[in-house]
């Protein structure tokens, strides 16, 4: 039976070339993420900058020794990004592969029906489709792995000494990561092919006799229920997980749209005709025949349309959600910083400004890093040494429980967020190791209100910080002028001083800029892949329609009419996909904003219109271009008489 | 092999008929309402008989063929093939029965475009898990007059040649019943004669049973008996009729 698979793969070259490209590029990205991760794992920082601590143990966790890198010179930032890139690439790959295989099966209904007619059992047809998927998957996965191996040194050169990995990365042994990527590729292909194969097995022998190769659009109640469950799950996820910072929002803005995309895809045969009809209203009104034809092609074959729309839907929903959520996170961060600073003046750097005339309070907190140890982990944390008297005057520093006046000696005030994660209460002891390698236990004296971007999670007494980090200097100081002194002229006299409003705006801009790098890294590969997938599916779709185009020519359609029909049709597919993607983006955006801005008032809303419209425009151009190009090619190459054979 | 005249009467005395339709009805339901395609058809196809089914468009003749071949489930009634009822068989059992006992020839030649003529013909055997013997495949190809074309692909053949490949493919499993739906619908009269001759030969030489749906009186005249179907009911039959007689009956029905 394998020989049949081989034969059909070579026959349906355009269908399988599509799946091949989609999978090879997916495995390439996965492989690249894997080899780069291997390089980060293989990276060992200089031994002198490592602090070795024992975790506490308890509650089933054994105490263990952990080596925590002392400086920021580690590769964890890159590892996080790589794992996200891997997740997004993996998701889009499985999604695209599933839809290309579904598309291939839908285009071959008659042929599969014929096989059934001459005696193939449903099981056999299923196995044949899986066999074909395997032929393609093996070839594509190996190709992708080889390409990944070739591109790894390039990527590592780019990643070395970057913000995410301020070290030199060398390629590690490629075998294990590439084996993982190839295995993932095969697994993804087989998972994607499974539902297509199952549908192929349901093709009846009678389908060989039907003239139209259209598949019914009816879907079972199970599928509808699952689709609704996925949608509900994503919305529950968004309402229950309430991220407070951008770092928390990104994974949510990544997973929630993924789940919704799956949900919408399950419901697609119901939703696509509705949305398609809606978008077709102006088309039908404006054009004479091509718009009408385009509408019927899109609406009458919802599964086919859904397959073509799938990659556009996936990337527009995910990219849109992440872009919008990060912008919302930056807006929120701005508002949080605004609300957390009471002082009207901020001085950058450590210059002593307390003696300037007109200055009343100077809150010169000292930043430091320390290793915080808990039951099963030890982490490098940012902390700040503060004078609680000064700090409560210049910042919105409020003890939710406990008393900040007790912040002397070996004590600590913990932010509400960290106390929530780690279950710290007033009176608890937090074991820490300073970078001078002294270990102490800090007693929690207060739980304070979160002030992201202004206060780190751990606030220590100023004297304790001076003792363990003698060289620490403030990186910003909050300054309150004396009673009737106008801050505006005072700013001009102080060194490196800014009005707090200006400083706050700069901080928010900094967050936004910092997000940009992450966005490019996260969405760059996924966008590249989706672009290929979009072009790929549309190309496949048009190449399959040679006969139809030729028949239309025979019926008297001019090449221009057919081109217009394809233009409207691909625009419709794009519009349907983008409307669903937009719906997901808006849902994610609204819910994430709602969660993030809880307790804040007057949070500005910056919608990155340029980027969002850019994503939509690019998707649309790709979709239309890759549908039109093969159509023009087919029309140039064939005469109407070709319809007869 | 006996070259005697076809056996009469239609009902064979001892062995069960090749194909028995008992009270077949078929109702299609759609949004527009229910349509009765068959309204109770009972008939026995004798072993080795060549029967043509005729009727105006929409009379239910294709539905009859599809129900008889187990491609579609009748709404009521039973189909019995060689003494074994089809009702209650699973899809897999039906498939196995179909590939062992039935051969199909349709208007659209229904060849797999990716396979050569040889592979198309050998496909049903491969699907049963048997390794087709080269001589068997070449023998049926020779039987339909396609010797030397084994390595071609369907697209390189004329319509008549493609239809002969389809017949060779149906012949190779030595089915007891052939189902043909407008097998000459797309062919010129000369090619049609060859195709019908091949079907005729199957009944005369190998004792196979042929059920052929057609609208062409000339094609129907190759059959021993022509059944007329109208509005989902049997409306009479003609035995060993000439094309002119058949055409006359048809225009009566269509009136």
């Amino acid at each position: 039976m394998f020989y049949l698979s081989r034969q059909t793969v070579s026959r349906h070259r355009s269908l399988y070339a599509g799946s091949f490209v989609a999978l090879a590029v997916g495995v390439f990205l996965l492989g690249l993420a894997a080899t780069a991760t291997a390089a980060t794992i293989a990276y060992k920082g200089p031994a002198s900058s490592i602090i070795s601590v024992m975790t506490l143990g308890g509650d089933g966790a054994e105490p263990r020794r952990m080596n925590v890198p002392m400086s920021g010179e580690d590769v964890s930032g890159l590892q996080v990004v790589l794992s996200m890139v891997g997740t997004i690439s993996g998701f889009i790959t499985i999604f695209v592969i599933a839809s290309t295989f579904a598309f291939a099966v839908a285009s071959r209904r008659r042929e599969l029906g014929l096989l059934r007619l001459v005696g193939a059992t449903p099981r056999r047809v299923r196995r044949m489709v899986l066999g074909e998927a395997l032929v393609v998957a093996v070839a594509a996965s190996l190709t992708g792995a080889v390409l990944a191996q070739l591109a790894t040194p390039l990527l590592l050169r780019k990643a070395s000494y970057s913000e995410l990995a301020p070290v030199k990365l060398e390629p590690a042994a490629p075998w294990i990561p590439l084996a993982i990527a190839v295995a993932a590729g095969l697994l993804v292909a087989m998972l994607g092919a499974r539902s297509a194969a199952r549908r192929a097995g349901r093709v009846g022998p009678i389908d060989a006799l039907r003239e139209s190769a259209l598949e019914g659009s009816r879907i079972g109640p199970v599928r509808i229920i699952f689709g609704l469950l996925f949608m509900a799950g994503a919305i529950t996820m968004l309402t229950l997980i309430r991220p407070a910072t951008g770092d928390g929002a990104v994974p949510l803005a990544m997973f929630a749209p993924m789940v919704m995309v799956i949900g919408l895809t399950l419901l697609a045969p119901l939703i696509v005709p509705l949305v398609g009809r809606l978008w077709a209203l102006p088309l039908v009104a404006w054009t004479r025949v091509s718009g009408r034809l385009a509408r019927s092609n899109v609406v009458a074959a919802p599964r086919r349309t859904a397959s073509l729309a799938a990659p556009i839907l996936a990337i527009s929903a995910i990219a849109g959600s992440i872009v919008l959520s990060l912008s919302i996170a930056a807006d929120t961060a701005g508002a949080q910083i605004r609300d957390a600073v009471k002082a009207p003046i901020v001085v950058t750097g450590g210059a002593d400004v307390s003696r300037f005339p007109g200055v009343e309070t100077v809150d010169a907190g000292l930043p430091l890093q320390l290793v915080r140890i808990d039951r099963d982990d030890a982490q490098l944390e940012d902390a700040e040494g503060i004078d609680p008297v000064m700090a409560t005057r210049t910042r919105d520093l409020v003890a939710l429980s406990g008393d900040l006046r007790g912040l002397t000696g070996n004590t600590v005030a913990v932010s509400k967020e960290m106390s929530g994660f780690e279950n710290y209460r007033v009176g608890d002891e937090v074991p820490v190791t300073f970078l001078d390698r002294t270990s102490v236990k800090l007693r929690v004296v207060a739980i304070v209100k979160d002030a992201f971007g202004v206060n780190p999670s751990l606030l220590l007494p100023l004297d304790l910080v001076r003792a363990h980090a003698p060289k620490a200097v403030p990186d910003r100081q909050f300054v309150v002028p004396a009673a009737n002194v106008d801050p505006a002229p005072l700013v001009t006299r102080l060194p490196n001083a800014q009005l707090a409003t200006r400083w706050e705006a700069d901080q928010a801009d900094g967050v936004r800029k910092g997000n940009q790098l992450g966005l490019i890294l996260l969405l760059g590969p996924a966008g590249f892949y989706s672009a290929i997938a979009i072009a790929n599916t549309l190309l496949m779709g048009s190449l399959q329609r040679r006969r139809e185009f030729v028949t239309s020519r025979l019926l008297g359609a001019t090449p221009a009419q057919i081109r217009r029909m394809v233009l409207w049709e691909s625009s419709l597919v794009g519009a349907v996909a983008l409307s669903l993607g937009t719906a997901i983006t808006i849902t994610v955006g609204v819910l994430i904003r709602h969660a993030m801005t809880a307790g804040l008032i007057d949070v500005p809303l910056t919608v990155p219109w340029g980027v969002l419209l850019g994503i939509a425009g690019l998707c649309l151009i790709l979709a239309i271009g890759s549908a039109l190009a093969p159509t023009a090619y087919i029309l140039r190459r064939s005469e109407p008489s070709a319809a007869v054979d | 092999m006996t070259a005697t005249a076809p056996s009469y009467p239609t009902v064979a005395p001892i062995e069960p008929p090749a194909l028995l339709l008992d009270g077949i009805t078929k109702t299609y339901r759609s949004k527009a309402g229910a349509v009765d395609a068959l309204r109770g058809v009972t008939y026995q196809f004798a072993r080795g008989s060549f029967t043509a089914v005729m009727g105006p468009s929409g009379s239910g003749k294709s539905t009859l063929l599809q129900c008889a071949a187990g491609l579609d489930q009748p709404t009521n009634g039973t189909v019995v093939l060689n003494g074994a009822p089809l009702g209650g068989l699973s899809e897999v059992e039906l498939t196995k029965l179909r590939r062992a006992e039935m051969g199909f020839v349709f208007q659209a030649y229904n060849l797999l475009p990716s396979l050569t003529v040889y592979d198309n013909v050998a496909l049903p055997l491969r699907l049963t898990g048997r390794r087709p013997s080269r001589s068997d495949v070449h023998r049926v190809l020779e039987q339909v007059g396609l010797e030397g074309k084994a390595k071609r692909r369907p697209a390189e053949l004329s319509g008549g040649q493609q239809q002969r490949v389809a017949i060779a493919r149906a012949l190779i499993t030595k089915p007891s019943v052939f189902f043909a739906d407008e097998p000459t619908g797309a062919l010129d009269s000369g090619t049609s004669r060859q195709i019908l001759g091949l079907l005729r030969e199957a009944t005369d030489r190998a004792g196979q049973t042929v059920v052929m749906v057609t609208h062409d009186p000339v094609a129907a005249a190759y059959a021993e008996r022509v059944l007329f179907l109208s509005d989902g009911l049997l409306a009479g039959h003609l035995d060993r009729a000439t094309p002119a007689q058949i055409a006359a009956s048809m225009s009566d029905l269509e009136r």
Side-chain angles (χ1 to χ4, degrees), chain A residues 464-587:
Chain A
L464 186 66
V465 171
R466 283 208 188 101
H468 291 287
K471 282 189 228 153
V473 281
D475 45 26
R476 80 283 179 275
Q477 307 172 55
F478 301 111
V479 176
V480 179
N484 47 44
V485 173
D486 187 2
L490 182 58
V491 164
T492 57
R493 279 183 279 128
L494 298 180
N496 297 325
Q498 273 177 303
L499 281 177
T501 45
R502 170 70 60 79
W503 181 79
E504 288 154 14
D506 285 355
Q507 296 296 301
D509 274 355
V511 172
R512 221 173 269 283
K513 287 221 180 65
N515 285 345
Q516 251 157 25
L517 177 74
L519 264 184
I520 292 169
L521 278 170
L522 264 187
L523 295 181
F528 164 71
Y529 180 52
S530 305
I532 290 179
I534 293 169
N536 196 11
T537 27
L538 269 295
L539 205 77
M540 256 165 54
S542 288
L543 282 177
Q544 283 298 306
R545 296 173 63 186
R546 178 171 179 275
R547 207 188 163 79
E548 182 195 329
F549 293 156
V550 172
T551 311
S552 309
R553 290 276 290 118
L554 194 65
L555 295 176
T558 63
Q561 276 173 323
I562 295 180
R563 273 199 298 275
R564 270 205 299 280
M565 178 189 84
V566 172
L567 166 73
W568 296 133
E569 210 179 303
S570 48
S571 312
L572 261 185
V573 169
V576 169
L578 287 176
S579 340
L580 298 181
T582 307
I584 292 181
T585 302
I586 291 175
T587 312

Side-chain angles (χ1 to χ4, degrees), chain A residues 234-256:
Chain A
I235 288 170
T236 316
M237 188 153 86
L238 283 167
T239 43
L240 289 186
I241 306 175
R242 307 177 73 89
T245 60
D247 291 347
V250 170
L252 192 62
M254 187 171 88
F255 282 116

Side-chain angles (χ1 to χ4, degrees), chain A residues 1 3-4 7-12 110-112 114-124 201 203-206 208-211 218 645, chain B residues 28 66 70-72 91-92 95-96 98-99 104 106 108-116 119-120 122-124 126-129 153 169 181:
Chain A
M1 211 50 209
Y3 96 105
L4 201 61
Q7 296 274 0
T8 39
V9 169
S10 63
R11 162 84 187 175
H12 296 276
R110 280 194 75 164
E111 188 186 310
L112 296 175
L114 177 64
L115 276 174
R116 296 274 290 105
L117 186 69
V118 296
T121 55
R123 189 183 140 88
R124 185 141 242 176
V203 172
I206 202 160
L209 309 180
R210 295 213 170 110
E211 269 306 314
R218 261 195 288 169
D645 44 70
Chain B
Y28 290 108
Q66 287 168 7
L71 296 174
D72 209 348
E91 191 50 47
V92 174
T95 303
K96 288 182 174 160
R98 214 179 282 131
R99 72 187 179 201
F104 294 93
F106 292 103
Y109 320 117
N110 279 317
L111 302 177
L112 282 177
S114 55
L115 301 185
T116 60
D119 284 332
N120 261 297
L123 186 61
R126 286 216 169 96
L127 287 171
T128 58
R153 288 187 199 263
R169 184 182 61 194
D181 193 350

Side-chain angles (χ1 to χ4, degrees), chain A residues 580-610:
Chain A
L580 298 181
T582 307
I584 292 181
T585 302
I586 291 175
T587 312
V588 171
V590 165
L591 290 174
I592 281 193
R593 182 175 157 87
H594 181 76
M596 290 190 84
T597 56
L600 291 170
I601 46 164
D602 269 351
V603 183
L605 175 63
T606 318
V607 179
W609 288 113

Side-chain angles (χ1 to χ4, degrees), chain A residues 347-517:
Chain A
V347 172
T348 322
D352 184 2
V353 293
S354 56
R355 278 159 221 248
F356 278 81
V359 171
E360 193 187 75
T361 309
V362 178
D363 168 17
L366 289 176
L368 90 162
Q369 291 190 306
L370 49 79
V371 177
R372 185 179 58 85
I373 301 160
D374 57 37
R375 224 178 272 128
D376 52 359
D377 201 11
Q379 276 177 6
L380 198 66
E381 303 267 7
D382 286 324
E384 188 183 356
I386 56 161
D387 177 344
V389 180
M390 300 290 187
T392 45
R393 277 189 218 158
T394 64
R395 319 176 192 184
D396 183 25
L397 187 61
V398 183
L400 300 172
S401 61
D403 192 342
L404 278 168
R405 276 172 303 185
L407 195 65
T408 52
N410 286 348
T411 55
V412 64
V414 179
S415 75
K416 182 167 173 289
E417 187 198 39
M418 177 172 278
S419 78
F421 282 144
E422 302 292 339
N423 229 349
Y424 290 139
R425 296 217 185 83
V426 173
D428 285 356
E429 290 197 319
V430 182
V432 300
T433 300
F434 291 104
L435 298 196
D436 63 3
R437 293 171 199 269
T438 29
S439 299
V440 290
K441 287 190 170 159
L442 302 177
R443 189 166 46 81
V444 177
V445 293
I447 307 291
V448 297
K449 212 167 131 180
D450 288 323
F452 302 103
V454 175
N455 297 341
S457 303
L458 301 171
L459 296 171
L460 274 53
L462 203 52
D463 291 335
L464 186 66
V465 171
R466 283 208 188 101
H468 291 287
K471 282 189 228 153
V473 281
D475 45 26
R476 80 283 179 275
Q477 307 172 55
F478 301 111
V479 176
V480 179
N484 47 44
V485 173
D486 187 2
L490 182 58
V491 164
T492 57
R493 279 183 279 128
L494 298 180
N496 297 325
Q498 273 177 303
L499 281 177
T501 45
R502 170 70 60 79
W503 181 79
E504 288 154 14
D506 285 355
Q507 296 296 301
D509 274 355
V511 172
R512 221 173 269 283
K513 287 221 180 65
N515 285 345
Q516 251 157 25
L517 177 74

